[in-house]
Amino acid sequence: MDLMPSPEEEQIIDTARALLSKELPVDYLRWEKGAAAAPDRALLSAFAELGWIALGLPEDAGGFGFGATEEMLLFREAGRALVTPMLMAAVIAARLAAARGDAESVAALVSGERKVGLTISADGGEPHYVIEGDGADHVLLVAGNRVALLPAGNFGERAPVAGVDGAVTLERATLNEDGAALSADGEAARPLLRHLSLLIAATLVGAAEAVRDLTVAHASERSQFGQKIGSFQAVSHPCADMAVRCEAALSQAKLAAIALRDGSEDAGFQVQAARIVAIDAAIANASAAIQLHGGMGFAAEYPIHFYLKRAHLLDQVGGAAASQLDAFFALDAL
Amino acid sequence: MNLDFTPQEEQFRQEVRAWLQDNAPREHRPGDGEAMRDFDIAWQRRQYEGGWAGIAWPEEYGGRGLSTIEQLIWYQEYARAGAPYIGVNFVGVLHGGPTLIANGSEEQKKAHLLRILKGEEVWCQGFSEPGSGSDLASLRTRAEIDGDHLVVNGQKIWTSFAQWADYQELLVRTDPDAPKHKGISWVICDMRAPGVRVRPIRTIAGHHEYCEVFYDDVRIPLANVVGGLNNGWRVAMSTLGFERGTGFMNEQVRLATDVEALIALVKSRPALMRDTDITRRLSRLRAETAALQAMTYAGISLNERRGAPGAEASILRLYHGLLTQRLGRLSMEVLGTANLELSDPEAGWTGPYLYSFSRTIGGGTAEIQRNIIAERVLGLPRSR
Ligand SMILES: Cc1cc2nc3c(=O)[nH]c(=O)nc-3n(C[C@H](O)[C@H](O)[C@H](O)COP(=O)(O)OP(=O)(O)OC[C@H]3O[C@@H](n4cnc5c(N)ncnc54)[C@H](O)[C@@H]3O)c2cc1C
């Protein structure tokens, strides 16, 4: 039993962290020309080349055969860097294609040639919200118990709308049917939804950690009343609570990733728990972070709000917190 | 990263499970009085005879010399078997003994360790004083050297199970002129020595768990100083490290059992099942309890790499305390009118609910844990 990353896992973390902090610094300027023009898009091919999309796919399915643990650690870094959810969509789309035995699609996805947006709808009904569909040729649909990969052309009446998370593009659209390229329903969708939840949990852990770090740095720098604000307990204690939430969410995400990788019976339980604690950590930490930054925290030029908004966005993908809690409660004890 | 237990560890688990199945007391643990003490001592003795006391203690002092991982397996199985709370043996087995192992002289180890494991010596912890709680280093109980003895005068308070204890880990001021952290010594105090007087105090959960202890010219041999005269602060920090770290492993594991019991109760009552406020709060608690277990694993993994528990133990301690309180609060809502009946602090629901208030006070308050996390984990400036 060991929850510390192995040397190979460390290497994945280090590579990702180094690349992302250099190429995708979290700065509002990154999205100033609109989300579709953000440098994330241009880097998707580079990520694909590094093997990030194929990382966890089995080798016989065209992947690199790493486990869910490596993917979890990678998406934690992606969460810190607020990488476009197109990366996550591509990873799940590749899994779907692999499960359907569509080697051609797998190849197009893992090479980064096929760009994938993300679509959600409440229980499959209208409207559909298309996230990062601007510039995507395919869309991963996650609705109720269904996961499908559709050509972007399957959506009609597409209308851009201002989104809460301004770091992604958002459109309302109607699903025109379904010359669905690839689709998984019910039981067949379950492993994909589970995997998606793990990646979401990992991303949210990264977000929770990023705002913790920004806040600790700010509280150690900023002085008022002749002292660092971090020496006021009304500041330092919420920071401590952030650290506690990070530790809980990270540990649980690790445990869930291991359970998923190993095909343990409790994988579903652990992943759902990871998602629940991670969304709470991300939203609570970002909220506290805004408060502890004062006026800066409320300013669009300061990056904390992006994390809060990304957390709310991801919460809607594959079932929001309340439905996660209901489903988790229904599970039997381990 | 992995959750694999080695074949030896799995084998160990099977042995533990079988033994607990046959030997864990089935009868109700008395919550107070001599009956409680006798029960706790008898159970400690039975564990020792079965070869399960001191799993991670060195073999030369009667332990098994195994790792924290085996210790964790023991607690997992212990909780699974519904084995009773450690009670009066908490201090001796979980932090007094480990402190002696880390800091004691050979003579001190020989004199006490085996007897602690066998349930022949009950220990208590004399740290807090009426004027010194969170600010422990301000303690004033003084000890003057007289030949080869210390002569102790002063008072301790909140000393758990002092009325049942044979020995005490006692912090005294041996150099009143030194800076406050530098004039303290950690000594072994014989609770039967002349001049020691104990007055039990009742807790909000209804039991006489802790006490006031008065010292009136109590003579303690200098040979009972652990870790060197005036070096007591460092020794005390090692004691608190054990208390906040491995000492709470049992309770961390146990929480999952309690959360599942409350979930089962709610699932058996359709009216409660329709109350999404209750079911969702309980669901969230279930997820966080899973996370607590993951944090326990993560903590052990870190310790195995680094060799000692660190300030991160405060994260676990705080998280556990807050979760336990939320469980208690929820149980009061779930129980309905049945919550009017008081149970023991370690059984049923109302006793544990009341007891849960102590979880963010004893062993360092939640505020002190947050100070530690802020300063030592996050590196924030010291609070004032
Ligand atoms: C069930 C139980 C068993 C115990 N058993 C033992 C035992 O066996 N041996 C023993 O020695 N002690 C024992 N204690 C005592 C325990 O360690 C102390 O109660 C604890 O350390 C707090 O000290 P205090 O009671 O003096 O409270 P205080 O230190 O007076 O604290 C009062 C309040 O002020 C807050 N506060 C104090 N300082 C700060 C600060 N710097 N920043 C922010 N907030 C602050 C505290 O968090 C608390 O909320 C036990 C306590 C309980 C509840």
Side-chain angles (χ1 to χ4, degrees):
Chain A
M1 189 278 295
D2 187 9
L3 251 60
M4 298 290 285
S6 68
E8 296 96 68
E9 289 164 340
E10 288 283 7
Q11 209 181 342
I12 289 182
I13 299 173
D14 292 345
T15 314
R17 195 170 289 185
L19 178 80
L20 293 172
S21 59
K22 178 160 166 281
E23 302 291 341
L24 292 179
V26 176
D27 182 323
Y28 79 103
L29 292 171
R30 193 165 128 198
W31 298 285
E32 213 191 18
K33 296 202 183 80
D40 303 45
R41 304 296 183 87
L43 280 168
L44 279 168
S45 305
F47 297 158
E49 240 164 73
L50 281 168
W52 287 3
I53 298 172
L55 193 67
L57 273 187
E59 286 174 70
D60 56 18
F64 289 98
F66 282 95
T69 48
E70 284 86 356
E71 278 185 328
M72 190 283 291
L73 295 168
L74 174 67
F75 274 87
R76 173 184 171 208
E77 297 308 318
R80 273 177 186 275
L82 284 165
V83 169
T84 167
M86 292 177 96
L87 180 65
M88 182 186 294
V91 169
I92 300 300
R95 286 197 161 258
L96 169 61
R100 285 280 163 270
D102 181 346
E104 202 179 309
S105 293
V106 173
L109 287 160
V110 303
S111 68
E113 175 199 320
R114 192 176 287 181
K115 300 279 188 292
V116 191
L118 191 60
T119 296
I120 56 173
S121 92
D123 304 322
E126 300 296 353
H128 282 72
Y129 283 105
V130 184
I131 299 157
E132 294 286 71
D134 186 342
D137 41 60
H138 279 68
V139 173
L140 184 77
L141 172 74
V142 181
N145 284 325
R146 174 165 184 233
V147 180
L149 183 63
L150 312 163
N154 281 27
F155 287 90
E157 303 170 58
R158 289 171 64 160
V161 288
V164 166
D165 181 351
V168 296
T169 68
L170 185 72
E171 298 159 82
R172 278 164 167 258
T174 48
L175 178 56
N176 271 340
E177 194 20 23
D178 252 23
L182 292 163
S183 180
D185 284 278
E187 274 307 306
R190 195 189 285 264
L192 295 167
L193 288 167
R194 191 171 284 172
H195 213 90
L196 178 64
S197 277
L198 178 71
L199 301 189
I200 288 174
T203 308
L204 294 170
V205 168
E209 292 178 324
V211 294
R212 172 202 61 194
D213 295 346
L214 286 168
T215 309
V216 168
H218 179 67
S220 309
E221 280 285 309
R222 168 83 174 161
S223 290
Q224 285 293 281
F225 300 97
Q227 52 189 290
K228 302 289 183 215
I229 58 168
S231 65
F232 299 124
Q233 289 180 340
V235 172
S236 68
H237 286 192
C239 289
D241 290 334
M242 285 192 205
V244 173
R245 287 189 287 262
C246 286
E247 182 62 23
L250 174 62
S251 301
Q252 182 59 26
K254 286 176 168 181
L255 193 136
I258 296 169
L260 196 64
R261 177 195 67 198
D262 296 351
S264 313
E265 253 173 70
D266 65 346
F269 185 100
Q270 302 297 358
V271 169
Q272 200 141 31
R275 182 169 174 153
I276 290 168
V277 291
I279 187 72
D280 282 347
I283 293 177
N285 281 13
S287 307
I290 289 174
Q291 175 63 23
L292 298 177
H293 277 77
M296 247 174 111
F298 194 65
E301 292 183 10
Y302 200 71
I304 288 172
H305 67 108
F306 289 113
Y307 290 101
L308 177 74
K309 293 165 177 177
R310 181 57 52 84
H312 285 292
L313 177 88
L314 293 178
D315 184 36
Q316 292 299 331
V317 179
S323 72
Q324 296 292 338
L325 287 171
D326 292 343
F328 188 57
F329 192 75
L331 297 180
D332 287 332
L334 292 181
Chain B
M1 301 190 293
N2 71 80
L3 287 170
D4 306 331
F5 290 96
T6 64
Q8 294 91 307
E9 287 162 354
E10 287 298 349
Q11 167 73 21
F12 179 81
R13 185 186 293 283
Q14 293 314 319
E15 286 167 25
V16 171
R17 188 173 292 180
W19 188 84
L20 283 168
Q21 170 101 37
D22 295 341
N23 291 280
R26 299 265 170 266
E27 61 281 18
H28 174 73
R29 174 179 179 265
D32 210 352
E34 281 181 35
M36 174 194 72
R37 184 214 32 208
D38 294 346
F39 178 97
D40 290 350
I41 289 176
W43 170 224
Q44 181 63 31
R45 176 94 203 165
R46 189 148 17 135
Q47 291 172 78
Y48 174 77
E49 282 164 359
W52 303 108
I55 288 170
W57 288 24
E59 283 171 278
E60 48 186 317
Y61 306 120
R64 292 278 293 268
L66 300 172
S67 76
T68 359
I69 296 187
E70 273 97 359
Q71 188 73 74
L72 172 74
I73 293 173
W74 166 261
Y75 286 129
Q76 287 178 327
E77 295 302 319
Y78 193 95
R80 194 171 177 273
Y85 177 57
I86 186 168
V88 300
N89 294 301
F90 183 91
V91 171
V93 170
L94 296 176
H95 52 88
T99 303
L100 289 187
I101 292 171
N103 305 281
S105 69
E106 204 47 40
E107 264 173 16
Q108 290 163 345
K109 293 180 191 179
K110 290 249 158 63
H112 299 287
L113 292 175
L114 191 58
R115 291 172 55 80
I116 290 173
L117 288 185
K118 286 181 170 174
E120 291 171 356
E121 271 183 18
V122 169
W123 279 57
C124 64
Q125 177 187 43
F127 281 19
S128 307
E129 299 182 1
S132 305
S134 300
D135 184 11
L136 181 59
S138 69
L139 63 90
R140 283 194 308 214
T141 295
R142 65 179 195 283
E144 277 153 13
I145 298 176
D146 178 22
D148 52 5
H149 278 72
L150 289 169
V151 181
V152 177
N153 283 285
Q155 186 194 340
K156 295 288 170 177
I157 196 167
W158 319 128
T159 316
S160 299
F161 303 126
Q163 70 273 52
W164 312 119
D166 304 298
Y167 290 93
Q168 182 180 48
E169 35 181 64
L170 174 63
L171 290 184
V172 289
R173 184 152 306 280
T174 36
D175 184 353
D177 301 323
K180 67 178 183 176
H181 295 90
K182 301 242 165 86
I184 296 171
S185 298
W186 197 110
V187 298
I188 302 169
C189 172
D190 181 345
M191 293 297 281
R192 305 235 160 65
V196 176
R197 192 162 55 84
V198 174
R199 186 185 77 85
I201 305 171
R202 221 152 57 91
T203 73
I204 64 167
H207 291 86
H208 297 86
E209 167 151 343
Y210 50 28
C211 304
E212 278 180 299
V213 184
F214 302 92
Y215 308 82
D216 186 7
D217 284 333
V218 177
R219 295 183 69 82
I220 300 177
L222 271 171
N224 283 13
V225 173
V226 173
L229 205 63
N230 296 325
N231 193 29
W233 185 252
R234 203 189 51 74
V235 182
M237 288 305 104
S238 121
T239 308
L240 292 176
F242 292 118
E243 184 177 0
R244 291 170 186 163
T246 41
F248 276 87
M249 220 191 252
N250 184 21
E251 274 125 294
Q252 288 155 26
V253 176
R254 162 81 190 275
L255 183 66
T257 315
D258 295 344
V259 169
E260 290 304 333
L262 195 62
I263 289 176
L265 192 67
V266 168
K267 285 186 172 176
S268 71
R269 303 204 183 146
L272 288 171
M273 276 300 279
R274 283 191 294 274
D275 184 342
T276 50
D277 175 55
I278 296 262
T279 59
R280 285 178 186 165
R281 277 159 64 205
L282 206 39
S283 185
R284 181 170 272 124
L285 193 59
R286 185 189 226 184
E288 289 167 345
T289 303
L292 178 73
Q293 191 193 336
M295 290 160 89
T296 305
Y297 282 1
I300 292 172
S301 307
L302 188 61
N303 289 354
E304 293 279 308
R305 293 253 177 123
R306 210 176 37 187
E312 294 81 8
S314 289
I315 292 184
L316 259 173
R317 183 89 174 84
L318 178 59
Y319 197 67
H320 171 263
L322 296 174
L323 289 187
T324 307
Q325 288 175 354
R326 273 168 48 211
L327 173 68
R329 181 77 183 78
L330 258 166
S331 74
M332 291 302 276
E333 291 178 49
V334 165
L335 285 182
T337 52
N339 75 8
L340 296 176
E341 288 187 40
L342 180 62
S343 69
D344 279 339
E346 289 295 328
W349 293 105
T350 54
Y353 163 64
L354 293 173
Y355 197 78
S356 74
F357 286 90
S358 77
R359 304 273 184 193
T360 48
I361 302 172
T365 67
E367 289 73 24
I368 295 305
Q369 308 294 352
R370 289 191 180 97
N371 282 349
I372 294 171
I373 297 164
E375 290 165 24
R376 294 207 238 134
V377 179
L378 297 176
L380 282 167
R382 280 189 76 84
S383 67
R384 46 198 84 193

